[in-house]
Amino acid sequence: MTANGVAQLLFYLIVLVALAKPLGAFMARVYEGRPCGLDGVLGWLERLIYRLAGVRPGDEMGWKTYAVAMLLFNAAGMLLVYTLQRVQGGLPLNPQGFGAVSPDSSFNTAASFATNTNWQGYGGESTMSYLTQMLGLTVQNFVSAATGMAVVVALIRGFARRTAQTIGNFWVDLTRTTLYILLPLSLIFAIVLVSQGVVQTFGPYAKAAVVQPTQYDEPVTDKDGKPVLDEKGQPKTKKSTLAEQVIAVGPAASQIAIKQLGTNGGGFFNVNSSHPFENPTPLSNFLELLAILLIPAALCYTFGVMVRDTRQGWVLLAAMTVIFVGMLATVVSEITGMLRSQNCRRPHRSNSSVNDRRVMISFL
């Protein structure tokens, strides 16, 4: 590994640790109900949400009530995402005319997004409408991350209060996490991503004429999009000519911001941040890598503030950093070995070798 590569990794760690304290202290103020600056701007919206939802923010919950509220909320979110996928063909903001997502894929996506695992068993740009991506997946990226953060804070209160019978109010923690932490960070991050070239549009997919039309075998499908088989059980195909390229676009930046900040995995495009419309520049790559670990690192300091001993927060962050650096060294060693092996097999440096390096660097 080059000195430049080592310097980049060190710079990343320095920035990550440096941001952990101010963000962690801010989040502690949010969760303890102390003035945080944004409450003067968004406090009216927080109070309106409580009134509309029938929530009494001063009423705290025991751990069982907190757990039940959390599970019911996520079950409702899972049902919403599943339903949205199944009926997207008849809903607006679907310029490509995508039909309903299959029941099994809809269930898999809904369950994984509700649990913040975000298993992406679909190609976003070839499966989901803009409305499904925004109202279903992006919203779930917010609330599933907020749910996880709320549970962490409830656990911290359990340590801090020791003998108390309550650990906070789930609806308050969920609302304040989303309103004061995730939304402002995502808004700023989305604007930065747009400035770097990440797409954000409601327009239909762009089309471009290819330089040289090419013939290919196109699978024959039925009205449900399933392959049609011949008498031997093999998929039927027909000759087609590729004369234009369809370039997928859409409201990507707003989804990528919370995807990274909420440690989610469901990007707008199938290949996520390997796609140039999700991650077009070295700066966007650095910021997206930083965003995915920013809140977990800051929560360590939040822990220290809330238990009234910031040394414990720093110890947690140090332990996590040691594990991260160890795993990072393993990955760097593996990729370095792969690149050396490729160089040994190639007597001359080719364009493919350069591209392989770019992929490896992007992965790091």
Side-chain angles (χ1 to χ4, degrees):
M1 189 174 185
T2 65
N4 181 49
V6 173
Q8 289 185 49
L9 295 177
L10 288 175
F11 179 70
Y12 173 83
L13 286 173
I14 291 171
V15 174
L16 179 64
V17 174
L19 291 175
K21 180 176 180 178
L23 180 57
F26 172 80
M27 291 195 296
R29 298 182 73 87
V30 169
Y31 291 125
E32 291 179 338
R34 292 182 285 149
C36 62
L38 290 178
D39 52 333
V41 179
L42 298 173
W44 66 271
L45 182 56
E46 179 187 6
R47 293 187 292 272
L48 178 61
I49 292 172
Y50 295 152
R51 282 199 297 270
L52 293 176
V55 173
R56 291 179 292 187
D59 294 351
E60 292 207 350
M61 302 173 175
W63 73 268
K64 293 180 182 179
T65 305
Y66 199 102
V68 170
M70 181 269 293
L71 292 172
L72 289 176
F73 176 76
N74 282 275
M78 178 178 170
L79 179 61
L80 173 64
V81 174
Y82 176 85
T83 304
L84 196 57
Q85 293 175 86
R86 296 292 295 141
V87 302
Q88 73 172 9
L91 298 176
L93 289 177
N94 187 8
Q96 300 309 118
F98 292 137
V101 183
S102 63
D104 56 335
S105 179
S106 296
F107 178 83
N108 179 74
T109 301
S112 66
F113 272 73
T115 55
N116 201 237
T117 48
N118 304 103
W119 171 251
Q120 193 167 345
Y122 61 90
E125 67 270 44
S126 60
T127 309
M128 305 288 190
S129 69
Y130 292 170
L131 184 67
T132 302
Q133 292 264 37
M134 294 187 301
L135 185 59
L137 305 188
T138 302
V139 168
Q140 203 59 44
N141 278 345
F142 273 99
V143 296
S144 66
T147 297
M149 294 169 68
V151 171
V152 169
V153 170
L155 179 65
I156 294 173
R157 292 194 186 106
F159 283 114
R161 297 179 180 181
R162 299 177 184 174
T163 59
Q165 299 300 309
T166 59
I167 55 173
N169 186 309
F170 171 74
W171 307 113
V172 173
D173 292 338
L174 179 74
T175 302
R176 294 182 69 84
T177 299
T178 305
L179 199 58
Y180 295 126
I181 300 172
L182 296 180
L183 273 175
L185 287 175
S186 297
L187 177 60
I188 295 170
F189 192 26
I191 293 173
V192 173
L193 290 178
V194 169
S195 75
Q196 294 301 298
V198 179
V199 293
Q200 182 73 20
T201 178
F202 288 142
Y205 290 0
K207 294 182 180 180
V210 299
V211 175
Q212 182 177 353
T214 304
Q215 282 198 334
Y216 67 99
D217 293 325
E218 181 182 1
V220 178
T221 58
D222 59 20
K223 62 179 182 179
D224 296 323
K226 297 181 180 179
V228 177
L229 305 180
D230 59 20
E231 60 277 3
K232 296 182 180 180
Q234 299 299 316
K236 288 185 177 182
T237 60
K238 60 181 179 181
K239 289 293 183 181
S240 296
T241 301
L242 176 66
E244 64 179 11
Q245 179 185 4
V246 178
I247 303 173
V249 293
S254 55
Q255 182 169 335
I256 306 313
I258 186 57
K259 179 197 79 170
Q260 300 301 115
L261 286 165
T263 65
N264 301 291
F268 189 89
F269 298 100
N270 187 32
V271 293
N272 283 259
S273 289
S274 295
H275 197 289
F277 287 174
E278 279 198 25
N279 187 13
T281 67
L283 178 58
S284 70
N285 190 55
F286 177 83
L287 294 176
E288 289 184 24
L289 288 171
L290 182 66
I292 203 165
L293 291 183
L294 180 59
I295 290 178
L299 278 170
C300 295
Y301 192 80
T302 301
F303 174 87
V305 173
M306 293 183 69
V307 299
R308 303 296 183 263
D309 187 357
T310 55
R311 293 174 300 175
Q312 295 187 38
W314 287 119
V315 169
L316 279 177
L317 182 58
M320 291 168 58
T321 303
V322 168
I323 295 172
F324 173 71
V325 170
M327 298 300 294
L328 181 62
T330 302
V331 173
V332 169
S333 176
E334 177 68 16
I335 292 178
T336 302
M338 291 171 61
L339 292 175
R340 287 175 178 171
S341 176
Q342 291 174 356
N343 289 336
C344 289
R345 292 196 299 268
R346 293 171 180 159
H348 301 288
R349 186 177 181 183
S350 64
N351 287 334
S352 60
S353 176
V354 174
N355 289 334
D356 289 343
R357 292 176 185 274
R358 289 174 179 170
V359 171
M360 298 300 182
I361 293 170
S362 178
F363 174 76
L364 280 175

